[in-house]
Structures are given as C-alpha cells and as structure tokens.
Amino acid sequence: CIRRFHDHAVFHSDLNAKNIMLDDKNKIYLIDFDQCKFRKGNDWKQDNLLRLKRSLDKFSSKSESFNYDGGNWDSLLFGYNKR
C-alpha cells in the first residue's frame, strides 16, 4: 500500500502506525492526508519509510499488546521492494 502511494509520488507527511488501518479482511488503508503532498524524485521515500519504522518501534516499546517486531519490518520492506 505504501509503495503504491510512493509510486504515484504521494508523500505522506505523517506516516506512522496510527495512520495505517486494516479491515476485517486485512485490506490496508492509509489515512490522514491533510498535510500530504506530491514530491518529485525518490530521495524522500527512504526517509518516509524510516519515519514509519520509528513509529512502529515506539509503539512496540510502549505496549506489549502492539504486535510488532523486527521480522515484521523485514516483511514490510520485502513487500515494498517486490515488483
């Protein structure tokens, strides 16, 4: 889902765990686009992903019920990089 937005040059300025939603069929939604914009090039994409990683790490350190670990990040990157 993130990759599709990035492929269309959509920069989500607040890409964090709170702005990713899953429905009961595990369909992924990104929300909260009020400060987002289009960006040229690719330089910003890695930083955008790292912002999400910091958010996921923060949530997992504060809540035992937040189901996330480093293996999940590897899976996310695998999906992101898969063409």
Side-chain angles (χ1 to χ4, degrees), residues 1-10 15 30 41-50 52 72-83:
C1 180
I2 296 165
R3 177 61 185 262
R4 287 193 309 263
F5 279 97
H6 281 181
D7 285 349
H8 288 91
V10 176
L15 187 59
L30 293 181
N42 294 309
D43 296 341
W44 56 272
K45 294 175 183 178
Q46 183 65 31
D47 288 339
N48 201 220
L49 288 172
L50 291 175
L52 173 60
N72 300 124
W73 182 251
D74 292 340
S75 295
L76 184 144
L77 289 179
F78 177 80
Y80 182 89
N81 291 313
K82 188 176 178 185
R83 290 205 174 243

Side-chain angles (χ1 to χ4, degrees), residues 22 29 60 62 66 72:
L22 300 172
Y29 298 89
S60 67
K62 291 187 175 190
F66 189 74
N72 300 124

Side-chain angles (χ1 to χ4, degrees), residues 24-61:
D24 59 351
K25 294 179 176 71
N26 288 324
K27 188 169 180 174
I28 301 167
Y29 298 89
L30 293 181
I31 62 169
D32 191 14
F33 282 86
D34 60 319
Q35 299 293 319
C36 300
K37 55 189 158 192
F38 292 101
R39 286 204 171 165
K40 294 180 181 181
N42 294 309
D43 296 341
W44 56 272
K45 294 175 183 178
Q46 183 65 31
D47 288 339
N48 201 220
L49 288 172
L50 291 175
R51 184 186 201 297
L52 173 60
K53 183 175 187 319
R54 286 190 302 273
S55 171
L56 293 168
D57 290 341
K58 179 180 175 182
F59 272 83
S60 67
S61 70

